[in-house]
Amino acid sequence: KTARMNACIPTVATMRAPKTARMNGFKPVKAARSSGFAGRTQPLVARATPKAAGRKMVVDTMAYKVAVLGAAGGIGQPLSLLMKMNPMVTELALYDIANTPGVAADLSHLNTAAQVKGYLPDDMEACLTGCDLVIIPAGVPRKPGMTRDDLFSINAGIVYDLVDGCAKYCPKAVLNIISNPVNSTVPIAAEVLKKAGVYDKKKLLGVSCLDIVRADTFVAELKGLDTKDVDVPVIGGHAGVTILPLLSQTTPATTFTEEEIEKLTDRIQNGGTEVVEAKAGAGSATLSMAYAAARFGESCLRGLAGEADIYECAYVDSDVTELAYFATKCKLGKEGIEEVLPTGDITPYEAGILEKCKAELTGSIAKGIKFAQEK
């Protein structure tokens, strides 16, 4: 067959990527530009080369089993669609309390390589066995007037049970936690894995990628830049004041007025609320979260494959601050996280928010640990 149109494969051609690979305070050290939304240097989809157009295809041979837990939900369905379109995924396992056989049947009609199957609670072992990457968006969504912490009483137990299954059936898989409140659910997941004796801090990542996606988009719109060229590191956590966009470290170097900094920071911190209110009770930021999760998941797979210079911000077990968990840019590799990078130089304004961020995170982390230890 001839090469597919790039527009049909968003994971390769139409979605943008994490920008310049950065280290030591997010200083640029190596560009990793590509056509893919996760910043790959070589497209992973079959494509025609100039010399062999129409005759020979260049294809990627990497193969991974990926599970989406909560696959029938508002985030889970579009996320599953995007992962089905990712040529690195050869087996896609969809798990939820209901409706996953139907979602899997629907996605199975896509003419992409991944084999997809839906699983219900009685089939958790079959779903998880052999997984390389498990993405967990399961749980109830935010509604108008709700904070992420309002979700804790329901989602904490859901995450506990799902990660317990991962500990039993795929203890070496990389886990991407999306279920809110991430500031608490990642510590819960860690405690579950510790109880099972399989905790590896390199393989547990809270997905804060949507904060980076929003920051890059809002800055590009404000400054008239191409979104693919913009990179704004976002550190701290994944809720309200714990979300700290480091606008001073924006790439390309960009000047902001004090008013612009305050407005951008507030909008990035409250991007989820903006969507919840705009949907007027009909949902939360499901589509943008699915996009960010697919980008982050692909970055994890590229790291597992040994591709060099793969960086994403993530909420992880960290020594960067005095807190046990903190979001900064991480270098991803064959074992999950290769390196957790420092925050770098920040402005007095950012330092002030950082102190508020730490105070809020301290309580959220303790809440998650306490829940898991007492369960």
Side-chain angles (χ1 to χ4, degrees):
K1 295 183 179 180
T2 58
R4 301 289 183 205
M5 290 179 62
N6 283 343
C8 296
I9 311 293
T11 56
V12 173
T14 61
M15 296 186 180
R16 54 175 258 347
K19 310 308 175 307
T20 315
R22 298 154 175 256
M23 295 179 63
N24 301 328
F26 309 138
K27 298 292 192 295
V29 294
K30 179 178 178 182
R33 280 292 170 253
S34 74
S35 60
F37 83 104
R40 63 173 69 87
T41 54
Q42 294 293 331
L44 293 174
V45 72
R47 69 198 188 283
T49 63
K51 292 184 178 180
R55 293 188 291 107
K56 183 179 179 181
M57 308 306 297
V58 179
V59 297
D60 184 86
T61 58
M62 291 176 285
Y64 296 98
K65 179 178 179 180
V66 175
V68 178
L69 310 186
I75 297 170
Q77 290 202 42
L79 171 58
S80 298
L81 169 65
L82 293 172
M83 298 311 293
K84 174 70 167 77
M85 299 172 75
N86 189 317
M88 298 184 77
V89 180
T90 53
E91 187 175 352
L92 182 61
L94 307 182
Y95 178 93
D96 215 320
I97 59 174
N99 303 324
T100 41
V103 175
D106 195 357
L107 291 178
S108 72
H109 293 183
L110 274 64
N111 58 335
T112 61
Q115 297 298 304
V116 59
K117 185 175 180 180
Y119 297 88
L120 296 172
D122 289 343
D123 301 318
M124 179 180 279
E125 181 176 0
C127 173
L128 293 176
T129 298
C131 280
D132 301 289
L133 172 66
V134 179
I135 309 174
I136 307 180
V140 298
R142 288 177 66 195
K143 297 179 181 178
M146 293 179 69
T147 66
R148 288 179 176 87
D149 273 337
D150 290 333
L151 306 175
F152 182 90
S153 59
I154 298 174
N155 289 355
I158 293 172
V159 170
Y160 186 102
D161 292 340
L162 293 176
V163 174
D164 186 55
C166 294
K168 293 175 181 175
Y169 305 126
C170 57
K172 295 184 178 181
V174 172
L175 305 187
N176 288 178
I177 307 296
I178 298 171
S179 307
N180 278 316
V182 168
N183 293 349
S184 297
T185 56
V186 169
I188 289 172
E191 292 302 312
V192 173
L193 296 169
K194 289 174 183 177
K195 284 183 181 181
V198 296
Y199 180 58
D200 182 348
K201 68 179 184 179
K202 300 188 300 295
K203 294 189 175 182
L204 176 63
L205 303 96
V207 181
S208 60
C209 189
L210 180 53
D211 300 326
I212 291 81
V213 168
R214 285 174 173 147
D216 292 354
T217 300
F218 299 162
V219 168
E221 289 174 348
L222 178 67
K223 295 298 183 179
L225 301 171
D226 190 326
T227 53
K228 75 176 185 296
D229 296 327
V230 179
D231 183 27
V232 182
V234 182
I235 67 170
H238 183 56
V241 73
T242 70
I243 298 169
L244 174 50
L246 298 182
L247 294 168
S248 64
Q249 296 182 20
T250 298
T251 300
T254 306
T255 301
F256 302 96
T257 66
E258 289 185 9
E259 182 181 8
E260 287 174 335
I261 291 171
E262 291 177 1
K263 288 185 175 180
L264 278 169
T265 299
D266 181 74
R267 190 180 180 200
I268 294 163
Q269 289 178 335
N270 295 291
T273 301
E274 179 180 317
V275 175
V276 169
E277 292 177 350
K279 289 188 175 182
S284 58
T286 53
L287 301 177
S288 53
M289 184 65 249
Y291 167 91
R295 160 180 156 167
F296 190 85
E298 182 174 304
S299 291
C300 289
L301 293 179
R302 292 166 59 219
L304 291 176
E307 186 173 341
D309 298 315
I310 305 300
Y311 294 83
E312 289 281 6
C313 290
Y315 181 68
V316 300
D317 187 326
S318 169
D319 296 323
V320 169
T321 71
E322 65 274 21
L323 300 176
Y325 300 91
F326 196 77
T328 52
K329 191 158 286 190
C330 300
K331 183 178 182 180
L332 305 178
K334 291 184 177 181
E335 298 299 321
I337 301 168
E338 280 192 1
E339 182 181 6
V340 179
L341 304 184
T343 60
D345 297 331
I346 63 176
T347 66
Y349 176 81
E350 292 164 347
I353 297 178
L354 179 58
E355 291 310 306
K356 296 177 183 178
C357 164
K358 289 179 181 179
E360 182 73 18
L361 274 177
T362 298
S364 297
I365 293 168
K367 187 175 182 179
I369 293 173
K370 183 174 185 291
F371 173 87
Q373 290 180 343
E374 293 180 352
K375 187 171 172 64

